[in-house]
Amino acid sequence: MKKLKCLFDSNREWSDRISQQDPDFFPTLASQQAPEYLWIGCSDSRVPANEIVDLMPGELFVHRNVSNLVIHTDMNCLSVLQYAVQVLKVKHIMVVGHYGCGGVRAALEDRPHGLIDNWLGHIRDVYAKHRDIIGEWQDSSKQFDLMCELNVIEQAENVCNTTVLREAWARGQEVTVHGWIYGLKDGLLTDLRFCASGLDEVEEEYQQAVDKVRSSV
Ligand code: ZN
């Protein structure tokens, strides 16, 4: 098991299965990629991007990190965003959080977790901004759900405020930013009502999404 033969065996079976269904699949895919979607999601192993929306290789450009954060100085995320928008010209960018996100819970726990607390500090900022909705943190399941939703909305807004999106919209490129959340318990996606196709729509979409969360309290 030292060299993980089981995974290489699975890979061989997977490749054979797809090639049997479509002998041109891999040769065609190798020559180009033209995905219409950029998925920015959580690293959580239970939230696999392609499987959830049942898309094949080549159909989804993906960036994942702990708690699907979009930080204005994160060169990794920004580089993915730039390539997806400027080169691949994706039509849709979805920030996809999930209920039960361990990063969101850890961010609000009253104990240290080491280096990752620097990353999770961005989630504490989300809590501080929306404390009027969340209330005093008592780690109730309702508060936890609300925080997961608000975190998605904040990160979707962050995408819109990057130079990448501002410049794309300024030159008239058609690209829409969405905020979605995934339920681990039922495997279903929910649209959080954030859906911006231009800089002039961002504030209203943001407010609408936050108001929707507030109304569910
Ligand atoms: Zn997560």
Side-chain angles (χ1 to χ4, degrees):
M1 284 305 279
K2 192 176 170 189
K3 292 186 177 175
L4 295 174
K5 183 175 177 302
C6 55
L7 295 186
F8 283 90
D9 289 345
S10 299
N11 167 247
R12 170 69 58 181
E13 284 171 23
W14 173 78
S15 169
D16 288 348
R17 193 167 62 243
I18 289 181
S19 296
Q20 275 170 12
Q21 289 164 0
D22 179 2
D24 292 331
F25 184 80
F26 288 115
T28 303
L29 204 56
S31 65
Q32 62 154 0
Q33 65 163 337
E36 284 193 18
Y37 314 102
L38 165 62
W39 172 288
I40 299 175
C42 183
S43 300
D44 194 302
S45 65
R46 299 166 295 179
V47 194
N50 281 68
E51 283 90 335
I52 285 172
V53 281
D54 201 17
L55 289 178
M56 292 292 284
E59 295 185 294
L60 198 61
F61 203 61
V62 175
H63 176 77
R64 291 168 70 183
N65 61 40
V66 172
S67 299
N68 42 272
L69 298 184
V70 178
I71 310 305
H72 292 309
T73 50
D74 177 5
M75 290 304 144
N76 184 353
C77 182
L78 292 174
S79 300
V80 169
L81 196 57
Q82 182 185 24
Y83 189 77
V85 172
Q86 289 184 7
V87 181
L88 298 174
K89 297 200 163 37
V90 296
K91 297 270 190 291
H92 301 275
I93 298 167
M94 45 281 249
V95 174
V96 188
H98 66 101
Y99 292 116
C101 184
V104 172
R105 171 164 272 160
L108 296 165
E109 275 175 354
D110 195 17
R111 67 183 176 91
H113 308 85
L115 179 145
I116 198 171
D117 282 331
N118 298 289
W119 181 253
L120 299 178
H122 296 289
I123 299 173
R124 285 193 293 279
D125 290 345
V126 173
Y127 170 64
K129 188 172 177 182
H130 297 289
R131 202 170 173 147
D132 61 319
I133 298 175
I134 306 292
E136 195 61 36
W137 183 252
Q138 291 170 334
D139 200 12
S140 72
S141 60
K142 183 66 184 173
Q143 286 182 315
F144 192 14
D145 287 351
L146 294 173
M147 267 304 297
C148 291
E149 292 173 357
L150 288 167
N151 183 45
V152 169
I153 295 164
E154 289 295 325
Q155 307 315 319
E157 190 200 29
N158 286 351
V159 171
C160 297
N161 285 324
T162 59
T163 52
V164 178
L165 264 292
R166 284 170 173 266
E167 289 169 8
W169 282 331
R171 62 177 175 262
Q173 188 174 333
E174 286 184 16
V175 52
T176 303
V177 179
H178 308 261
W180 296 353
I181 193 157
Y182 174 76
L184 295 172
K185 291 176 182 167
D186 56 13
L188 295 175
L189 286 167
T190 301
D191 190 330
L192 289 174
R193 304 273 186 93
F194 184 104
C195 181
S197 300
L199 200 55
D200 57 329
E201 296 178 8
V202 176
E203 198 177 328
E204 195 181 330
E205 288 296 315
Y206 173 84
Q207 211 49 59
Q208 176 180 288
V210 171
D211 287 348
K212 173 88 171 27
V213 173
R214 183 178 278 114
S215 71
S216 72
V217 176

